[in-house]
Amino acid sequence: MRNNDFKDIVFNRHSIKSFDANYKIPREEMLEILQEATQAPSSVNLQPWRFVVVESDEGKEKLRPLVKFNTRQNDTSSAMILIFGDMKCYEKADEIYSEAVRRGYMPQEIKERAMGFFLPAYKSFSRQKMNDVVKIDSSLMAMQLQFVARAHGYDTNVIGGFEEDIIAKEFGLDPERYVPVMIIAIGKADYEYHESVRLDVKDISKFV
Amino acid sequence: MRNNDFKDIVFNRHSIKSFDANYKIPREEMLEILQEATQAPSSVNLQPWRFVVVESDEGKEKLRPLVKFNTRQNDTSSAMILIFGDMKCYEKADEIYSEAVRRGYMPQEIKERAMGFFLPAYKSFSRQKMNDVVKIDSSLMAMQLQFVARAHGYDTNVIGGFEEDIIAKEFGLDPERYVPVMIIAIGKADYEYHESVRLDVKDISKFV
């Protein structure tokens, strides 16, 4: 990491839509960024996020018609990180909780009690409810990803406008299982950001 | 802010479920935290997040039966921040974009072109699509909120298990318009965190 200044990383973050097209983030660093991003919290630690990192010319070519008015980010970013939510994330519960027991973070009986409690609930969720869970958790992680990227010297843009109905299939994922959440363009910024305004929180909050 | 160490804030963040029940975050500082949290990005900057900050004994009493197995956070936190997504967030578009023009961040013709482009799209979104947009944007903000809280010396817990169907109405909001996203418990931690494991990103990523 190149920057450890919290205020600079967080409050000087801006949506960057054009990047140095000649710069590629090394694979090892990209994996570090993703590993650091996924320290984010998730509901009962099921970590429903899954990644397709589109960085090759062929990958970008395939993605271009799917990103609507966001082709500049596609064409200039180091990578377009496609974030999907795994509607069957609970299939990794035993792997996650067993590792926690193995490392001594959790006693075996707590693992069994927890899984006995949340697994039936997760399996009974409607598609709508599971959609909400995986999108909320993946979005928490996505904000952490953006900050970690800045700590590494990169900038990002969250992209919500893309062909949601076909992107999973186009990249070889089962669209019933993997729901697209967002795309994050990442790379070295090649222009100055635009300032933007925020609502006064007093106008959007009430205290009870 | 008391802490500006990015690594400490981000990687020593843990879900804290019990707080010093005698400590209240001053109102001015809570507003600062929310204002700093809402510097997060959102789709076309519509900032669909809305807050109900439950901090009084009466508010906590009303919330307790709605938070299922999360009563400890309710009873000990400085506040339970209820985050709702405004399904009519686009009604504030003119306020937001006019202020950007007033401050010189955006020329008038860009404002008009942008609003002419996204407003009809937003108004035509299905309830499902708008639900996704407001929950994704609010969750991005919620992660920023958790980091800002730590910079202020506080800790947090994201709560997804609560009575989603009745919480808006119970707190005086129109449930058709305001969809609950999550609750964030915030306060001074009163115990050591538990470690937790994460999946190896190599197992949940592919590179294209």
Side-chain angles (χ1 to χ4, degrees):
Chain A
M1 288 203 188
R2 299 169 195 201
N3 187 357
N4 195 46
D5 180 339
F6 179 79
K7 279 190 202 176
D8 177 52
I9 290 169
V10 172
F11 301 118
N12 292 329
R13 182 209 57 75
H14 299 278
S15 294
I16 294 292
K17 301 186 178 183
S18 180
F19 302 91
D20 174 353
N22 295 313
Y23 185 81
K24 281 285 168 215
I25 297 174
R27 176 71 55 94
E28 276 309 304
E29 187 174 25
M30 182 65 85
L31 286 167
E32 255 176 61
I33 289 170
L34 297 179
Q35 198 70 56
E36 289 163 359
T38 57
Q39 301 306 305
S42 59
S43 184
V44 297
N45 198 25
L46 285 188
Q47 309 165 47
W49 41 71
R50 304 291 180 262
F51 301 100
V52 177
V53 182
V54 180
E55 50 175 15
S56 68
D57 289 346
E58 300 70 34
K60 295 283 196 75
E61 202 63 51
K62 187 188 267 192
L63 187 55
R64 188 176 301 112
L66 307 183
V67 295
K68 298 182 175 174
F69 37 85
N70 299 295
T71 50
R72 190 163 51 137
Q73 298 96 307
N74 183 70
D75 295 346
T76 65
S77 61
S78 276
M80 298 282 272
I81 303 174
L82 318 186
I83 301 175
F84 293 89
D86 181 356
M87 300 286 273
K88 290 188 173 169
C89 54
Y90 50 79
E91 290 187 355
K92 287 194 187 287
D94 192 63
E95 177 184 344
I96 294 166
Y97 279 71
S98 294
E99 179 64 15
V101 171
R102 203 190 61 75
R103 293 197 201 168
Y105 297 165
M106 183 185 283
Q108 176 72 21
E109 71 263 26
I110 295 286
K111 170 197 154 180
E112 279 164 19
R113 206 192 307 160
M115 288 181 58
F117 173 70
F118 72 71
L119 268 185
Y122 262 69
K123 288 180 183 168
S124 74
F125 280 169
S126 66
R127 192 165 169 85
Q128 167 67 53
K129 171 64 181 168
M130 188 61 95
N131 169 81
D132 282 359
V133 169
V134 304
K135 285 183 178 166
I136 288 170
D137 286 346
S138 297
S139 302
L140 290 169
M141 180 281 299
M143 195 71 238
Q144 182 152 337
L145 197 165
Q146 293 178 76
F147 294 137
V148 166
R150 280 185 48 78
H152 280 261
Y154 305 119
D155 278 286
T156 54
N157 178 222
V158 175
I159 295 172
F162 58 88
E163 302 292 349
E164 296 170 49
D165 295 344
I166 58 173
I167 196 166
K169 196 141 183 260
E170 283 292 309
F171 285 90
L173 299 179
D174 171 3
E176 285 298 304
R177 175 161 183 168
Y178 299 100
V179 298
V181 183
M182 67 182 72
I183 301 174
I184 294 189
I186 184 172
K188 280 208 181 292
D190 84 340
Y191 76 122
E192 290 301 300
Y193 59 87
H194 303 293
E195 288 283 1
S196 62
V197 302
R198 291 297 183 278
L199 297 165
D200 186 331
V201 286
K202 286 189 188 120
D203 297 336
I204 55 171
S205 307
K206 66 175 182 170
F207 287 76
V208 177
Chain B
M1 288 202 187
R2 298 169 196 201
N3 188 358
N4 194 46
D5 180 339
F6 179 79
K7 279 190 202 177
D8 177 53
I9 289 169
V10 172
F11 300 119
N12 293 329
R13 183 211 55 76
H14 299 279
S15 294
I16 294 293
K17 300 186 178 183
S18 180
F19 302 90
D20 175 353
N22 295 313
Y23 184 81
K24 282 284 168 216
I25 298 175
R27 176 71 55 93
E28 274 310 303
E29 188 174 24
M30 182 65 83
L31 288 167
E32 255 177 62
I33 289 170
L34 297 179
Q35 198 70 55
E36 290 163 359
T38 57
Q39 301 307 305
S42 60
S43 184
V44 295
N45 198 24
L46 286 188
Q47 311 166 46
W49 40 70
R50 304 291 180 262
F51 302 101
V52 177
V53 182
V54 180
E55 51 174 16
S56 69
D57 289 346
E58 301 69 36
K60 295 284 196 77
E61 201 63 51
K62 187 188 267 191
L63 187 56
R64 188 175 302 112
L66 307 185
V67 293
K68 299 183 175 172
F69 37 85
N70 299 296
T71 51
R72 191 163 50 135
Q73 298 96 308
N74 183 69
D75 295 347
T76 65
S77 61
S78 275
M80 298 281 272
I81 303 175
L82 318 185
I83 301 174
F84 292 89
D86 182 356
M87 301 285 274
K88 291 189 174 167
C89 55
Y90 51 79
E91 290 187 356
K92 286 194 187 288
D94 192 63
E95 177 183 344
I96 293 165
Y97 279 70
S98 295
E99 179 64 16
V101 171
R102 203 191 59 78
R103 292 197 201 169
Y105 297 166
M106 182 184 284
Q108 176 72 21
E109 71 264 25
I110 295 287
K111 170 197 154 180
E112 280 163 19
R113 204 190 310 158
M115 287 181 59
F117 174 69
F118 73 71
L119 268 185
Y122 262 70
K123 288 179 183 169
S124 75
F125 281 170
S126 66
R127 191 165 170 84
Q128 169 66 52
K129 171 65 180 167
M130 188 60 96
N131 169 81
D132 283 0
V133 169
V134 303
K135 285 183 177 166
I136 288 170
D137 285 346
S138 297
S139 302
L140 291 169
M141 180 282 299
M143 195 72 239
Q144 182 152 336
L145 198 165
Q146 293 179 76
F147 294 137
V148 166
R150 279 184 50 78
H152 280 261
Y154 304 119
D155 278 287
T156 53
N157 178 222
V158 175
I159 295 172
F162 58 87
E163 301 293 348
E164 296 169 48
D165 295 343
I166 58 174
I167 196 164
K169 197 141 183 258
E170 283 290 311
F171 285 89
L173 299 179
D174 171 2
E176 285 298 305
R177 175 162 183 167
Y178 299 99
V179 298
V181 183
M182 68 182 71
I183 302 174
I184 294 190
I186 184 171
K188 279 206 180 296
D190 85 338
Y191 75 123
E192 290 300 302
Y193 59 87
H194 303 294
E195 289 283 1
S196 62
V197 303
R198 292 296 185 276
L199 298 165
D200 185 331
V201 287
K202 287 191 188 119
D203 297 336
I204 55 171
S205 305
K206 65 174 184 172
F207 287 75
V208 177

